[in-house]
Amino acid sequence: MTLPTGTQSRPPSSGAGAIRVMVVDDSAVIRGLLSKALEQDPDIEVVASVGNGQMAVNTAGRMEIDVIVLDIEMPVMDGLTALPLLLKASPRTRIVMASTLTRRGADITMKAMRAGAADYLPKPTATRDIHGADGFRQELVQKVKALGRAVRPAAPTGGTSGTGASTAASERPVRRPGDAPSANTRSAAPILRPVPRGFNPAIVAIGSSTGGPQALFEVIGALSPKRGGALSVPIIVTQHMPATFTTILAEHIARQCDIEAIEVSDGEVLRPGRVHIAPGQFHMVVGGNAASPVLRINQDPPENFCRPSVDPMMRSVVKAFGGRSLAVILTGMGHDGLSGCRQVVEAGGVVIAQDEASSVVWGMPGAVATGGLCSEVLPLAKLGPSVRKLLAH
């Protein structure tokens, strides 16, 4: 195979099941560091490394690529311009946007997610941060592997991956919302719990991760006053995102969904009809009681390797609202939210989750669904209407 000028690759060494990756960044140093971090995992093969969006589009049309790590700011053609062309040239490929931790970078990343990018990766601002940050390298590898498994499933080995993450069924299906179900979408139907008689939710708590922004726009948009009347309860959201990104997420939800949405500050009053989003790097919990709830933020240790984490939010919701808690778990890697949702159910509340076919990664929703905690497991388009129906009881 002959690669285009400016492209670097290594000889195939990981077998037919390796996830094939293209790295796109205008800095040759950054490309090299990203490629080195990826190639340390035996299940990943970096097959191309190019310096701008136009070269990426040309390469994607000629090579089999599972995942593209795509920079935003590049000469000739930037990442946001290249994104739809890459998806057209290689519809099966999943794209991770590499974005700097700036307001502009976060805003462009959010637009890219709405345009079809599968995920994003906050890019360190200095090469020494990439070289020396184990957390960044681990996140890069985990996201690439999760997004690559659907298009190039790993052969069964009976062991674990290079990062120690198992290839559990709940992590297999990785798709963009709207894709047709793939051969990997084959989990058995979960056993559902009945909605408790007289269930009257006082709060909606939503947890999401990989693919979450797109899902949040869909679900919260369906709850907008313009889609069926005033929202009578508060909504709280924990989305796995860094600082700055959560600020932009709140702004995009407010504009796109036509509903009041804020990034939470400590001591924020919990208001009906408003969406309250956990800030990056902080857990968000409900304080007080159902009569006078307030939101607190803290930097307690990460849970499930995440901060913000869904589990502490859910536990606090149960403490304040008991059986009047409605939990919604959307697309995401891992199992954050599982233990918190178990407490929701034990208190008499209700859990609903996004289904496997519409999830970008069916990790978090798959964990609560296969754990027997859900009253409904629904396609993304039906989740918002289901929440509205439960609120109308």
Side-chain angles (χ1 to χ4, degrees):
M1 176 173 60
T2 302
L3 301 181
T5 302
T7 305
Q8 301 169 343
S9 72
R10 66 172 180 169
S13 60
S14 304
I19 296 165
R20 297 173 179 265
V21 180
M22 175 164 64
V23 176
V24 188
D25 195 292
D26 61 321
S27 167
V29 174
I30 296 295
R31 292 200 306 273
L33 290 171
L34 293 175
S35 297
K36 182 179 179 180
L38 290 165
E39 289 173 346
Q40 289 176 353
D41 192 288
D43 294 332
I44 297 174
E45 179 184 356
V46 177
V47 297
S49 173
V50 301
N52 62 62
Q54 185 61 65
M55 295 177 69
V57 172
N58 295 342
T59 304
R62 299 199 295 267
M63 297 178 63
E64 183 181 358
I65 298 170
D66 303 315
V67 180
I68 298 173
V69 180
L70 181 64
D71 189 24
I72 290 177
E73 303 284 354
M74 295 180 291
V76 183
M77 182 183 291
D78 62 59
L80 191 60
T81 302
L83 175 63
L85 301 177
L86 289 167
L87 293 174
K88 182 178 180 181
S90 183
R92 63 185 289 281
T93 300
R94 305 307 183 231
I95 298 178
V96 179
M97 305 302 295
S99 171
T100 55
L101 289 168
T102 64
R103 183 177 179 86
R104 171 176 164 77
D107 188 60
I108 294 174
T109 300
M110 210 64 61
K111 292 176 182 176
M113 300 286 282
R114 289 167 55 185
D119 206 352
Y120 65 94
L121 187 74
K123 186 170 67 173
T125 55
T127 56
R128 65 178 180 274
D129 295 331
I130 295 178
H131 187 268
D134 289 337
F136 171 80
R137 293 199 302 271
Q138 183 179 25
E139 183 178 8
L140 171 67
V141 169
Q142 286 179 341
K143 288 190 174 186
V144 165
K145 291 180 74 169
L147 293 170
R149 282 182 182 132
V151 292
R152 185 172 292 274
T157 63
T160 58
S161 68
T163 61
S166 68
T167 53
S170 64
E171 294 288 310
R172 282 197 310 264
V174 186
R175 305 167 50 255
R176 287 190 298 273
D179 284 356
S182 70
N184 290 329
T185 307
R186 57 177 179 263
S187 295
I191 298 174
L192 300 180
R193 307 174 64 89
V195 175
R197 186 186 297 268
F199 177 61
N200 181 26
I203 188 170
V204 178
I206 304 176
S208 54
S209 183
T210 309
Q214 307 98 307
L216 288 168
F217 295 140
E218 177 80 20
V219 173
I220 294 173
L223 302 176
S224 167
K226 288 192 174 181
R227 298 279 292 272
L231 184 62
S232 59
V233 305
I235 299 173
I236 60 175
V237 176
T238 290
Q239 160 71 39
H240 295 163
M241 270 187 162
T244 305
F245 280 67
T246 47
T247 304
I248 300 299
L249 175 62
E251 294 175 2
H252 277 251
I253 286 175
R255 288 199 303 268
Q256 172 120 345
C257 303
D258 195 24
I259 193 169
E260 184 183 4
I262 63 165
E263 181 187 53
V264 167
S265 299
D266 191 52
E268 195 81 52
V269 175
L270 199 57
R271 294 184 181 173
R274 184 166 71 179
V275 179
H276 310 74
I277 297 174
Q281 297 303 319
F282 288 85
H283 296 306
M284 177 180 68
V285 298
V286 179
N289 52 44
S292 56
V294 295
L295 291 169
R296 316 299 310 201
I297 61 174
N298 65 69
Q299 290 192 309
D300 289 349
E303 295 192 26
N304 307 305
F305 308 102
C306 303
R307 191 175 63 203
S309 171
V310 178
D311 275 331
M313 177 183 73
M314 293 298 181
R315 291 196 302 267
S316 72
V317 166
V318 172
K319 187 175 180 180
F321 294 95
R324 299 189 66 191
S325 306
L326 174 56
V328 182
I329 302 296
L330 303 178
T331 174
M333 290 190 296
H335 57 79
D336 189 25
L338 175 61
S339 67
C341 284
R342 186 172 290 115
Q343 292 190 26
V344 169
V345 169
E346 289 171 352
V350 168
V351 176
I352 65 176
Q354 187 172 351
D355 74 353
E356 186 173 10
S358 67
S359 293
V360 176
V361 180
W362 206 55
M364 287 167 51
V368 294
T370 58
L373 301 179
C374 294
S375 294
E376 293 182 315
V377 179
L378 298 170
L380 179 59
K382 294 185 177 181
L383 281 170
S386 174
V387 171
R388 187 174 287 282
K389 183 178 179 180
L390 287 168
L391 293 176
H393 279 178

